[in-house]
Amino acid sequence: SPAASEAHGTAVAGIIAARADDGIGIVGIAPEAELHALRACEEAPNHEEARCTTFALAKALQFALEHDVQVINLSLGGPHDRLLERLLDVVVSRGIIVVSAIDARAVDGGFPAAHPNVLPVASVDAAASVLDTALRAPGRDIPTTTVGRGWGFVSGASYAAASVSGVVALLLERHPEMRV
């Protein structure tokens, strides 16, 4: 069975930028977007979740800074982290749009979703008590790519955030000057 982080990343990437006419049967929201898939998380011992380290996430954010990306999708959540908060400040100051899934269990939406100038995203079916400023996007039974060149359905805030990241990429294609 594939690692949780690999399956999650494949699903998120597929929602954002799966290519049309590749024989899989899924097309992403922004299929022409240039996607940099960076592995910053590893499978946890329970095989059902992934663990992300500050170091791996910092390396991924640094890569984004060095390669002039326009949108960063952070379909993850965890405790507030001072180093990552500072890096996000730099990322945002450079005009990069950051989209993050909210953690409905966290009062403030969790990190990085609650960080200033990050676009927090909740599933439309999430409880009304989640972060009031959160954008809402479909997050249930979303068709996407799966490990092994297939497709299936996924549900959760991570996938709602991926949808918003795809829409942001499309908007930037039409309006490159757009900022949050």
Side-chain angles (χ1 to χ4, degrees), residues 56-163:
L57 288 167
K59 283 178 42 178
L61 291 173
Q62 182 63 38
F63 178 93
L65 286 166
E66 291 171 355
H67 290 85
D68 297 321
V69 302
Q70 295 176 303
V71 181
I72 296 175
N73 175 275
L74 294 173
S75 285
L76 52 84
H80 288 267
D81 183 294
R82 292 181 82 131
L83 173 62
L84 295 176
E85 288 172 343
R86 287 192 172 111
L87 277 169
L88 283 174
D89 290 340
V90 172
V91 164
V92 169
S93 75
R94 300 247 180 109
I96 299 170
I97 297 173
V98 181
V99 179
S100 180
I102 69 156
D103 179 352
R105 297 168 299 192
V107 175
D108 68 352
F111 180 78
H115 192 74
N117 299 314
V118 168
L119 292 176
V121 180
S123 176
V124 293
D125 59 348
S129 63
V130 296
L131 197 61
D132 290 338
T133 59
L135 298 171
R136 302 270 182 159
R140 182 182 299 267
D141 297 327
I142 306 300
T144 190
T145 51
T146 60
V147 176
R149 295 191 46 83
W151 69 275
F153 295 96
V154 294
S155 296
S158 287
Y159 310 112
S163 294

Side-chain angles (χ1 to χ4, degrees), residues 1-25:
S1 117
S5 60
E6 181 180 349
H8 181 265
T10 299
V12 168
I15 291 166
I16 296 169
R19 302 283 185 233
D21 302 323
D22 64 359
I24 295 175

Side-chain angles (χ1 to χ4, degrees), residues 27-39:
V27 63
I29 291 172
E32 299 301 317
E34 180 180 334
L35 188 72
H36 297 279
L38 305 174
R39 184 178 298 240

